[in-house]
Amino acid sequence: MIYKIGDVVEGRIIDFTHEGNGVLKTDDFIIFVKEALIGDKVKVKIDKVKKNYGVATLVEILEESKDRIDEPIDLTESRGGIPLIDYKYSEQLKWKTNKVKMDLKRIGGLKDVKVKDMIGMKTPFRYRNHTQIPVGQVKGKPIIGFYEKGSRYIIDMEGSILQSKIGDRIISIIRKWMKEYNIPIYNRRNRKGILRHIGIRTNYKDEAMVILVTGSNHLPYKSELIQSLREENIISIYQNINKSRSSMTYGKKYKKLDGEDTLLDYIEDYKFKISPNSFFQVNRRQAEILYNKAKEYLDLNKEDIVYDLYSGIGTISLCIANQVKKVYGIEVVEEATEDAEINAKLNNVKNVEFITGKAEEIFPEIIEKNRRANKIILDPPRKGVEKEVLEAITELEPDTVVYVSCNSSTMARDVKDLVDKRYKVVEVQPVDMFPHTAHVESIILMTYCG
Ligand code: SAH
């Protein structure tokens, strides 16, 4: 059966896409539907037809999934960024664990892998320590909130269920200031106006850094805003200037307006100074669980030499350094390596070396030069690792490879390659870093079979 735009189709949602949209399957055709959950029987209207799939709008839920939560959470924010919010958390965890299993089976060809149940959060709310909130305007009224998924429409919100409560209060202070002083919203088309985004970062003791993203250097009524923000536990205020037309939140230039240069956070006993532009694990509590698993899998001892590929600001390298002889971190973003070096000093760690460059270029070169190591941990971005990295791993033949992944499909592809080259998968542990979204994080232990 071939569908056309405008057709109305009925059926049951059987899966989620990686964006958290519902997947409806009819007559061997797959249709993606926003705001529909697994188990829902739905009526949808087709908006787009491609060769292998279609996209549709939800018209009506004919029969609700038994896995919808009993009392929908009252939200003032868009459900777009948290598509699974109405799906029972226990079912979210089951779906994510199963996704890892299925990807390893379908993409990796690995049937009997031990995939443990995903480690979830006891309270899966307010876990994000960094939010970037767009500012817009509807009928002359300032709107602060998230975009509806895939659109330019911003939903006005009082706060977000994923960020710390101080973040909600910051939004209300800024909204009040905007109204009082008539602060114009930035318009990307004509490049007029002031405020574009609000960045909020928080740390372990709920101190906040506020980043006001503006379209030019001009920021009127600054001192009035700083004064009202000071009523909260805000230790640092920055202005970020973003003149570009792109949808990237932050521009290159940061100007400190008040307070400290950095926010201090911890992962276990290790301190990290976080600049406004530094990457830091968004869910600190779950990151600790993940890193502990990494340590357990690496089974470290004082003779070990470890490569930490895709090392970012050095969080994994620093957490394992005192148990081993030497760690090498490889990371492409220069500022991240600089942060990693600062963090090493801050924690008095001396046996790590951070190298800036692409893993697929630097790592094979190093192996070529015969710099040996017996263990590897890698934490690549969504697209997984390049084949040069996999080749260099098999060239090096470390006894242990620990792969941290935020995308189980590319992980399954890469793991298959290593299995073909005499590695065996010992165990996989998914850890929920992003409750209410369809993002799946997992860690996998592989050993060399000889
Ligand atoms: N392990 C770190 C960061 C993981 S995120 C942590 O837990 O904090 C993935 C990292 O890979 C990012 O820092 C990104 O900048 C880096 N990266 C992306 N492509 C890369 C490449 N080709 N070579 C090296 N690093 C890369």
Side-chain angles (χ1 to χ4, degrees):
M1 161 110 189
I2 309 282
Y3 293 105
K4 316 184 288 303
I5 291 173
D7 281 357
V8 172
V9 182
E10 285 183 16
R12 209 173 282 275
I13 302 293
I14 55 157
D15 204 355
F16 293 123
T17 64
H18 72 266
E19 289 173 316
N21 296 330
V23 177
L24 178 69
K25 198 164 174 231
T26 59
D27 304 320
D28 280 337
F29 193 67
I30 279 173
I31 302 165
F32 301 138
V33 190
K34 265 181 220 158
E35 288 164 27
L37 300 179
I38 293 177
D40 283 341
K41 189 174 175 207
V42 294
K43 183 194 269 187
V44 304
K45 192 161 147 241
I46 308 263
D47 298 325
K48 209 189 260 181
V49 182
K50 299 267 178 190
K51 200 166 151 225
N52 300 320
Y53 69 93
V55 179
T57 311
L58 182 66
V59 177
E60 194 185 343
I61 298 178
L62 302 168
E63 203 182 299
E64 282 202 351
S65 166
K66 65 175 187 2
D67 297 323
R68 278 186 172 266
I69 52 177
D70 301 329
E71 281 283 314
I73 297 170
D74 194 13
L75 292 174
T76 62
E77 64 191 289
S78 154
R79 281 176 151 73
I82 38 177
L84 309 191
I85 190 80
D86 297 322
Y87 197 55
K88 283 181 189 156
Y89 188 55
S90 56
E91 293 302 314
Q92 294 182 24
L93 296 176
K94 275 192 217 156
W95 176 78
K96 291 184 185 187
T97 306
N98 196 44
K99 164 112 174 93
V100 175
K101 279 187 197 159
M102 293 311 283
D103 282 345
L104 284 169
K105 194 165 151 191
R106 276 194 296 235
I107 304 167
L110 302 161
K111 286 191 197 76
D112 303 314
V113 177
K114 185 170 157 203
V115 179
K116 296 181 81 178
D117 286 343
M118 178 169 254
I119 302 173
M121 297 188 77
K122 275 204 190 77
T123 315
F125 301 105
R126 304 204 179 274
Y127 61 82
R128 287 193 69 97
N129 55 26
H130 187 184
T131 36
Q132 301 163 27
I133 307 154
V135 179
Q137 190 164 330
V138 172
K139 293 189 185 131
K141 193 174 148 255
I143 302 279
I144 302 177
F146 292 113
Y147 288 102
E148 266 307 345
K149 190 105 204 158
S151 91
R152 295 188 151 203
Y153 183 62
I154 299 174
I155 301 270
D156 204 16
M157 67 181 198
E158 280 159 29
S160 160
I161 196 142
L162 297 197
Q163 78 178 355
S164 176
K165 280 200 171 137
I166 189 175
D168 294 359
R169 297 196 297 270
I170 291 168
I171 292 176
S172 98
I173 292 172
I174 295 177
R175 182 182 276 117
K176 207 167 142 218
W177 165 79
M178 285 170 72
K179 275 192 190 149
E180 196 166 337
Y181 299 102
N182 240 324
I183 305 295
I185 312 295
Y186 184 74
N187 181 323
R188 262 199 271 160
R189 262 169 296 145
N190 64 19
R191 301 190 176 202
K192 291 216 171 88
I194 306 283
L195 205 58
R196 292 180 73 142
H197 267 88
I198 301 164
I200 300 171
R201 304 189 72 147
T202 49
N203 68 2
Y204 72 110
K205 49 177 180 174
D206 235 9
E207 294 167 331
M209 172 189 275
V210 176
I211 307 159
L212 303 152
V213 186
T214 56
S216 71
N217 292 326
H218 184 50
L219 180 59
Y221 301 101
K222 227 183 317 215
S223 48
E224 286 78 357
L225 176 61
I226 292 170
Q227 204 169 358
S228 345
L229 286 172
R230 276 206 193 117
E231 284 162 26
E232 287 292 338
N233 197 6
I234 293 164
I235 61 155
S236 170
I237 306 174
Y238 274 89
Q239 179 182 358
N240 172 275
I241 297 125
N242 183 2
K243 295 182 180 170
S244 82
R245 276 176 205 264
S246 86
S247 59
M248 294 284 290
T249 304
Y250 298 123
K252 285 222 159 65
K253 191 169 158 199
Y254 287 88
K255 206 157 98 185
K256 193 174 83 177
L257 302 181
D258 194 45
E260 310 282 330
D261 292 349
T262 56
L263 197 60
L264 187 73
D265 214 343
Y266 280 85
I267 288 200
E268 303 213 289
D269 293 334
Y270 296 92
K271 286 183 230 165
F272 294 90
K273 271 191 181 171
I274 301 168
S275 320
N277 60 345
S278 297
F279 170 84
F280 192 65
Q281 288 284 350
V282 137
N283 187 335
R284 199 177 61 84
R285 272 173 292 165
Q286 293 299 94
E288 284 184 338
I289 292 174
L290 187 76
Y291 292 171
N292 273 317
K293 209 46 178 179
K295 279 195 218 166
E296 180 194 320
Y297 282 172
L298 284 166
D299 192 20
L300 301 165
N301 67 64
K302 276 287 175 202
E303 293 311 306
D304 285 336
I305 300 178
V306 187
Y307 277 104
D308 174 14
L309 306 181
Y310 312 89
S311 49
I313 58 159
T315 33
I316 296 177
S317 296
L318 297 180
C319 287
I320 63 175
N322 71 356
Q323 294 179 45
V324 302
K325 191 166 168 192
K326 177 92 191 181
V327 187
Y328 295 98
I330 300 181
E331 162 62 43
V332 74
V333 175
E334 195 168 353
E335 290 89 343
T337 307
E338 283 164 12
D339 279 350
E341 276 158 3
I342 292 169
N343 289 328
K345 284 210 186 82
L346 191 67
N347 291 288
N348 208 14
V349 171
K350 298 198 171 85
N351 58 338
V352 294
E353 187 180 320
F354 294 104
I355 305 159
T356 305
K358 287 186 180 164
E360 58 274 28
E361 289 168 9
I362 300 277
F363 184 51
E365 270 173 34
I366 292 177
I367 302 305
E368 188 96 329
K369 284 190 201 138
N370 208 20
R371 234 196 268 173
R372 311 308 291 175
N374 59 329
K375 290 176 184 172
I376 289 188
I377 179 156
L378 58 163
D379 184 4
R382 285 193 62 80
K383 70 178 169 46
V385 301
E386 307 290 332
K387 69 174 191 326
E388 292 85 350
V389 173
L390 295 168
E391 279 163 12
I393 293 177
T394 42
E395 181 69 32
L396 179 69
E397 268 181 16
D399 20 273
T400 308
V401 177
V402 175
Y403 189 133
V404 181
S405 156
C406 56
N407 180 346
S408 51
S409 339
T410 53
M411 174 183 80
R413 179 200 67 201
D414 297 340
V415 164
K416 177 181 190 312
D417 188 271
L418 290 172
V419 166
D420 291 344
K421 292 172 179 155
R422 322 240 306 261
Y423 276 87
K424 84 164 188 280
V425 177
V426 180
E427 190 180 285
V428 187
Q429 176 66 69
V431 179
D432 198 17
M433 303 283 268
F434 313 103
H436 313 301
T437 75
H439 293 292
V440 183
E441 184 93 10
S442 45
I443 177 163
I444 181 160
L445 168 62
M446 305 184 77
T447 54
Y448 187 59
C449 320

